[in-house]
Amino acid sequence: MKTPIKLTVLLLALIFILGTFCSCTVKEDANPVIMTVDDFELTKFDFNMSYANHQYYYHFLYGAITAEEYFNRVMEDVTRFAVAVNRAQKLGITLTESEEAEIMKEVQEQCDHVYEQYRERVVSTITDEEEIKAEIYRLYEVDMGFTFDEYRALYENTLRNNKIAHKLYEQVVADVTPDEDLILTYMQNQVLSQSQMSFSEFAYNYENFITGKGAVPFFVPDNCFTVNRLFLAYTNVGSSEAPEYDDSIAALKAEDIDSLLNLGIGFEEFDKLILSMGDDADMKNETCLDWGYLVHKSLESSYEDGFVYAAMELAGFDFKPSDSEAALPELTYFATTDNKQIVKFCTETGINYLMINRNFIKGNMKYERGDEVWNLAYEGAYNIECDNVYDQVYETWFAEAKITYYYDRFKDEYTVGILAMPD
């Protein structure tokens, strides 16, 4: 389960470390305590980590919210973080050896990254490694107001507190289970949101889903269908810039496949052929094989010439390509043992066999309990319920804690004047 934004201070992409806040560093006290929660002290370093990685950072960067508004949003989140760490410490929550090892590994990787960033600033006349190291440390301290070793310790401490706060969150929500009404409500809200999307947005999201880069859509904006493809690639005997294709090997494989199809196979056997003989790497992905490639009249340019035409003909549509002068591929059909059809055709780069997988009717995506649609809705509802449960407990912790802010030590640097922001 992902760590909630409200709890974690948006775990730590380190814009601050690489100099975003150089212009506001106070050399006399570069890392003052800016707030306390009972005995827990939160420093300016912790604040900056959240400041540079907050979900509203770019809203502020491009003027959608003021510096004061952005500062208050960050303070709200770091307060939640500090209250959580304070409570976790009181409860004696600690990390395991493996969790500590993960921290030290991440600390070293980040320190190596920062070190190399500063190495680029060392003048070329310095060639001795020890002198380079000394100059890197000097440059860093000039920029940040504390030493590189101090930075390592600060970063390690912040990582550890984040992990401890996350463990506290997991303890609080350990028994959360969303009921079916909450799951269906989440699904309905997603349908309402996605029903405003265009078909091209839906197609983009669907492609991300089947290639493992996104989530299954909840709403289908227009009737469409999907196909599974067995693809036999021609051998490119030219170059990537000037391809020349040899079809001899693919043709031999096609003869064997045609023989099997003439004997009769079903959908599952077709999928097995895709995995054992096909050259389409995406189609061998489990999700892609289960759901298939999306086909719609608007997606001609998304595939090789002839692909959408062949798929539409397979589905029984009288489809005319947008390019009326384009050569149409010859189609060969095979009947299956489950009363479906497979169409064979050639494109510039290989031999294709298509079989219809799913039909999508405009409206809500159909689902069954336990499939990808249901599981995504369950996860969304679960995260909402976890946040609700945690929020209720947090309010009690917040009310019981003694919280002191030291705005005079740092606030003006973030709310008065213009900050140095990245381009």
Side-chain angles (χ1 to χ4, degrees):
M1 186 197 73
K2 62 183 180 182
T3 307
I5 286 174
K6 291 186 291 184
L7 177 61
T8 61
V9 253
L10 299 174
L11 289 169
L12 310 173
L14 299 173
I15 298 174
F16 160 66
I17 300 308
L18 301 181
T20 300
F21 295 93
C22 294
S23 66
C24 61
T25 301
V26 181
K27 301 301 180 180
E28 294 79 8
D29 189 3
N31 189 39
V33 173
I34 63 166
M35 69 175 294
T36 58
V37 180
D38 296 335
D39 296 328
F40 175 71
E41 297 180 337
L42 187 107
T43 69
K44 183 180 173 184
F45 183 90
D46 297 305
F47 177 85
N48 282 336
M49 298 285 267
S50 182
Y51 190 96
N53 302 282
H54 197 275
Q55 60 179 328
Y56 285 98
Y57 180 75
Y58 286 99
H59 291 71
F60 165 55
L61 188 63
Y62 294 108
I65 58 177
T66 67
E68 182 84 23
E69 290 170 329
Y70 183 61
F71 176 87
N72 291 335
R73 288 179 187 271
V74 177
M75 281 306 303
E76 180 181 348
D77 278 3
V78 297
T79 297
R80 292 180 67 89
F81 170 69
V83 169
V85 176
N86 177 62
R87 178 59 57 164
Q89 290 179 346
K90 289 181 182 299
L91 294 174
I93 295 176
T94 58
L95 302 181
T96 64
E97 289 185 7
S98 62
E99 289 168 336
E100 287 286 353
E102 289 175 4
I103 289 175
M104 300 314 297
K105 181 176 181 291
E106 187 170 344
V107 167
Q108 189 59 53
E109 289 175 350
Q110 180 58 28
C111 286
D112 290 344
H113 176 68
V114 175
Y115 188 90
E116 291 304 317
Q117 291 288 319
Y118 272 83
R119 177 188 283 271
E120 295 176 4
R121 293 172 53 186
V122 176
V123 295
S124 59
T125 54
I126 302 176
T127 56
D128 180 77
E129 277 300 319
E130 286 302 314
E131 292 180 5
I132 290 174
K133 181 178 180 180
E135 178 65 3
I136 288 172
Y137 285 0
R138 186 192 70 80
L139 290 171
Y140 185 87
E141 187 170 357
V142 168
D143 280 349
M144 299 302 176
F146 43 80
T147 69
F148 200 85
D149 286 342
E150 287 171 334
Y151 157 62
R152 178 188 292 270
L154 289 168
Y155 183 53
E156 178 184 332
N157 182 66
T158 301
L159 278 182
R160 183 171 290 108
N161 284 337
N162 270 278
K163 285 187 177 293
I164 288 172
H166 181 53
K167 290 189 78 168
L168 172 67
Y169 181 92
E170 289 182 324
Q171 286 188 13
V172 171
V173 304
D175 297 326
V176 170
T177 302
D179 60 32
E180 186 162 334
D181 287 343
L182 187 60
I183 296 170
L184 293 176
T185 297
Y186 179 87
M187 193 179 298
Q188 290 164 3
N189 289 337
Q190 296 303 306
V191 166
L192 181 62
S193 173
Q194 294 184 18
S195 65
Q196 308 303 312
M197 292 182 179
S198 65
F199 192 88
S200 61
E201 290 175 304
F202 164 75
Y204 176 80
N205 292 337
Y206 181 85
E207 181 180 2
N208 282 338
F209 163 59
I210 63 172
T211 54
K213 302 172 186 174
V216 60
F218 284 96
F219 185 83
V220 182
D222 195 15
N223 293 342
C224 50
F225 62 97
T226 71
V227 294
N228 281 10
R229 174 174 84 148
L230 170 56
F231 179 62
L232 306 178
Y234 295 151
T235 304
N236 182 7
V237 295
S239 65
S240 56
E241 294 79 15
E244 296 180 23
Y245 294 107
D246 178 355
D247 65 358
S248 57
I249 296 177
L252 289 174
K253 291 182 179 179
E255 289 180 6
D256 293 336
I257 291 172
D258 289 355
S259 297
L260 291 172
L261 297 183
N262 282 322
L263 292 174
I265 65 171
F267 186 83
E268 291 185 2
E269 289 79 14
F270 184 67
D271 279 356
K272 290 178 181 178
L273 283 177
I274 291 173
L275 295 174
S276 62
M277 300 186 69
D279 296 320
D280 185 340
D282 284 337
M283 184 53 65
K284 293 185 179 184
N285 173 286
E286 181 178 356
T287 304
C288 188
L289 188 67
D290 186 31
W291 285 74
Y293 288 129
L294 187 66
V295 180
H296 184 265
K297 61 185 179 183
S298 66
L299 298 178
E300 266 190 286
S301 62
S302 299
Y303 299 100
E304 279 193 282
D305 290 346
F307 184 98
V308 171
Y309 166 76
M312 296 291 272
E313 289 290 320
L314 175 65
F317 295 102
D318 183 15
F319 178 74
K320 292 181 171 50
S322 56
D323 182 359
S324 59
E325 297 182 359
L328 300 179
E330 179 182 346
L331 306 181
T332 303
Y333 292 93
F334 300 89
T336 69
T337 57
D338 40 16
N339 297 317
K340 295 185 178 182
Q341 282 190 314
I342 296 170
V343 65
K344 174 187 176 183
F345 63 100
C346 297
T347 56
E348 180 184 6
T349 62
I351 302 171
N352 301 262
Y353 297 84
L354 302 183
M355 188 173 186
I356 292 176
N357 186 336
R358 301 179 184 230
N359 286 297
F360 294 153
I361 306 301
K362 180 179 179 179
N364 298 4
M365 181 73 78
K366 293 181 180 179
Y367 68 89
E368 296 178 358
R369 183 183 293 271
D371 70 5
E372 290 91 341
V373 178
W374 175 267
N375 289 341
L376 182 62
Y378 180 95
E379 181 183 356
Y382 171 78
N383 288 336
I384 291 173
E385 185 66 8
C386 284
D387 281 354
N388 290 338
V389 169
Y390 180 83
D391 285 348
Q392 293 175 13
V393 178
Y394 169 81
E395 291 302 324
T396 301
W397 298 339
F398 181 83
E400 294 175 350
K402 179 183 178 181
I403 302 175
T404 305
Y405 298 96
Y406 301 100
Y407 289 120
D408 59 310
R409 300 178 181 179
F410 75 114
K411 182 177 180 179
D412 284 355
E413 300 173 30
Y414 302 90
T415 58
V416 178
I418 301 175
L419 291 175
M421 287 294 172
D423 292 332

